[in-house]
Amino acid sequence: MNTVINESTIELVRGDITNERVDAIVNAANSGLRGGGGVDGAIHRAGGGEIMAECRKIGGCPPGQAVITTAGGLAASKVIHTVGPVWRGGSSGEPETLANAYRNSLALAMENGLASVAFPSISTGVYGYPIDKAARVALGTVIDFLKEHTEISLVRFVLFSDADLHAYETVLGELIQTEQE
Ligand code: ADP
C-alpha cells in the first residue's frame, strides 16, 4: 500500500528490513546500543561488527532519541538507531516517546542528506507496544513530518508479519480518510 504526502511517498510492505536498499534503515535499538534480539539482532548479524564498533563509541541513546552509524555490509548506506518506549500501559508517556523516535530518526536522516528511509515497527516486539496503537503513532508522526519537510522522498515501513502489515494498512487507510474529510 502506498500514499503520497506532498512530494513524498509512504509505502507499507512486508519483509526483512536488513534487505532494504535505501539510504537509511532504522534500528529499534535499546538505550545501551548493545544489540539484542528482534530487528536489532538481525541488523547487527547481517551488517557485521563495524556497526557495533560505532555503537560502542557512541555509548548510548535515550528513549525517543536517534543516532547514526555505518550500515557495514548491508545494502543500505546508513543505520539510524532509535530507542522506542517500553509499553507500561500507555499513560507513562509512551505515545510521546514513540513519536519522538520517529521524528528524530527522520530529522537525523535529513541532516545527513538521506532521502529514503525504511522503518521497522518500533517498540511492538519485545517492548510490547500494542500494534494498532503503535501504527497510529508511527504513521501519524511520519505524515505530519512529511507535510513539513520535502527533503525525505520515501518512507517505507517494513513489517515483519502479515498481521503487522494489515494493522498498518488499516490505520493508514483511516488516517488518509480523515485527511480527506
Ligand atoms: P522493540 O524492542 O522496539 O519492541 P523488536 O525488535 O523486538 O523491537 O520488535 C520490533 C518489530 O520488529 C517487531 O514487530 C518484530 O516482529 C520486527 N522485526 C524483527 N525482525 C525484523 C526484521 N528483520 N525486519 C523487520 N522487522 C523485524
Side-chain angles (χ1 to χ4, degrees):
M1 182 171 175
N2 286 9
T3 192
V4 174
I5 308 288
N6 280 338
E7 292 151 37
S8 314
T9 302
I10 298 178
E11 284 181 12
L12 307 183
V13 302
R14 199 198 138 171
D16 177 341
I17 202 166
T18 62
N19 295 323
E20 286 295 315
R21 204 168 278 282
V22 286
D23 293 337
I25 63 168
V26 178
N27 181 19
N30 51 58
S31 52
L33 299 178
R34 288 181 307 268
V39 70
D40 198 357
I43 287 172
H44 285 287
R45 267 195 309 280
E50 250 183 289
I51 303 176
M52 185 50 76
E54 284 192 27
C55 283
R56 278 207 199 91
K57 272 188 211 149
I58 295 167
C61 178
Q65 299 299 306
V67 300
I68 189 165
T69 68
T70 175
L74 295 171
S77 305
K78 292 283 183 182
V79 177
I80 290 173
H81 306 261
T82 191
V83 181
V86 175
W87 180 257
R88 294 195 169 87
S91 46
S92 304
E94 294 95 329
E96 292 77 11
T97 304
L98 188 60
N100 284 340
Y102 282 98
R103 212 178 287 121
N104 287 321
S105 295
L106 290 172
L108 191 55
M110 237 176 75
E111 279 166 31
N112 285 273
L114 306 170
S116 56
V117 181
F119 282 100
S121 179
I122 295 164
S123 281
T124 63
V126 174
Y127 282 6
Y129 209 120
I131 187 86
D132 297 5
K133 289 186 169 66
R136 211 163 285 280
V137 172
L139 289 163
T141 303
V142 169
I143 289 171
D144 287 348
F145 190 92
L146 294 179
K147 280 187 191 160
E148 287 175 22
H149 307 278
T150 51
E151 292 90 339
I152 306 276
S153 57
L154 171 68
V155 175
R156 181 180 293 146
F157 284 89
V158 182
L159 290 320
F160 208 46
S161 69
D162 283 334
D164 287 358
L165 174 60
H166 186 249
Y168 272 68
E169 283 177 344
T170 302
V171 169
L172 184 57
E174 286 169 14
L175 291 177
I176 294 166
Q177 184 79 29
T178 313
E179 301 260 319
Q180 285 165 351
E181 280 167 8

